[in-house]
Amino acid sequence: MVNLVDTLMINTVTEGAMNILRNIGVFKSKSIESPPATIIIKMPLWELAQQAGPFVRIAGLSGAAAVVLGAMGAHRTFSETETKEDLKKIFETANRFHFLHTLALMTVPLCRRPYIAGSFFITGMGLFCGTCYYHAFTGERALRRLTPIGGSCLILGWLAMVL
């Protein structure tokens, strides 16, 4: 059995031998290399978003428009050209997509290519939500052929966020 004095002596001899071997280059030294310092630039989030273009402001306007249109649709009586429920359902779909893609537009400055994604989102909201709103409020189907193009633009906006 090894006692405390022998353990201290063995540790001291071992450490001394290791120091000699390190000095002559047999072992690498024990110096701990610190990782390179990370440079952190503190910047308010609004300044960061402002550098990526006007998308946060456009998203603010779009969100306000979505609330106004949502309130109009909630208190409006829909025309009798089709069943009221169909027009109300079309309106609710347009309003839901308007809100969701407004939130997506808020995150566009965080993308690598914000102008591509933002342009697709804005175009898609205009064509998809705009034509659905128009159809729901007027009962006319004239612009409904543009709705799938707007939906495709919304899909491309999401895909552009991956670029």
Side-chain angles (χ1 to χ4, degrees), residues 78-96:
F78 290 95
S79 63
E80 296 293 333
T81 57
E82 294 182 34
T83 61
K84 279 183 165 183
E85 294 304 316
D86 287 342
L87 291 177
K88 188 145 180 92
K89 189 186 249 185
I90 290 169
F91 172 80
E92 288 171 354
T93 300
N95 198 242
R96 183 175 57 250

Side-chain angles (χ1 to χ4, degrees), residues 108-153:
V108 162
L110 303 175
C111 297
R112 185 176 295 162
R113 304 218 186 327
Y115 286 98
I116 295 171
S119 298
F120 277 128
F121 279 135
I122 292 168
T123 303
M125 283 191 294
L127 291 176
F128 182 84
C129 302
T131 57
C132 288
Y133 283 138
Y134 180 77
H135 177 67
F137 285 146
T138 64
E140 291 182 32
R141 295 181 147 288
L143 299 177
R144 287 294 289 190
R145 67 181 182 277
L146 296 175
T147 304
I149 297 169
S152 298
C153 286

Side-chain angles (χ1 to χ4, degrees), residues 11-73:
N11 287 343
T12 304
V13 171
T14 306
E15 190 63 34
M18 289 302 290
N19 283 336
I20 291 170
L21 293 173
R22 281 187 197 105
N23 286 335
I24 61 173
V26 175
F27 290 111
K28 291 183 179 178
S29 65
K30 278 177 110 178
S31 66
I32 299 172
E33 295 180 20
S34 61
T38 305
I39 298 173
I40 299 173
I41 299 172
K42 293 185 179 183
M43 176 185 290
L45 191 57
W46 65 269
E47 284 182 10
L48 180 65
Q50 196 173 30
Q51 289 178 355
F55 297 111
V56 174
R57 287 191 174 114
I58 292 171
L61 294 172
S62 178
V67 171
V68 169
L69 288 166
M72 284 175 55

